[in-house]
Amino acid sequence: MNALGWQIGAVLFGASALIIAIYISKLLNSANKVVEKVYKIVDYDERYIHETIENVAAITKSTDDIIGLFSKVASLTKIFKIIKR
């Protein structure tokens, strides 16, 4: 009877390991599908991402140019104030 208990325990342990392996494989399969969808989205939107980065860089450059122009105008007004005095 003792050996029969060990055999039943081994069968139950093996069945539970098989069930856990099936659930892990389903989890990995669904994770793989999610990663593939993310790659498709990134590949599709990659050119838009590059365009957005280029637009932001152009806006930053334009802002720097405008700030430089305002600083030049401000320095000229300071010079004129000194000349007026």
Side-chain angles (χ1 to χ4, degrees):
M1 189 66 181
N2 195 10
L4 183 63
W6 280 102
Q7 289 174 352
I8 292 172
V11 168
L12 290 176
F13 182 75
S16 65
L18 180 65
I19 291 170
I20 291 171
I22 290 170
Y23 280 123
I24 289 174
S25 68
K26 285 185 177 182
L27 176 69
L28 290 175
N29 189 22
S30 63
N32 187 26
K33 288 180 182 177
V34 169
V35 169
E36 286 177 0
K37 286 180 183 178
V38 168
Y39 278 137
K40 286 180 183 177
I41 290 170
V42 168
D43 286 341
Y44 179 73
D45 292 336
E46 187 174 6
R47 65 181 173 158
Y48 298 119
I49 292 169
H50 288 298
E51 288 176 2
T52 304
I53 291 171
E54 289 173 0
N55 289 339
V56 169
I59 290 169
T60 304
K61 184 178 181 294
S62 298
T63 305
D64 289 341
D65 292 342
I66 292 170
I67 290 172
L69 180 66
F70 281 136
S71 65
K72 288 178 184 177
V73 169
S75 66
L76 285 176
T77 57
K78 286 181 185 177
I79 292 172
F80 287 133
K81 284 182 184 177
I82 292 172
I83 294 174
K84 273 186 170 181
R85 289 183 188 179

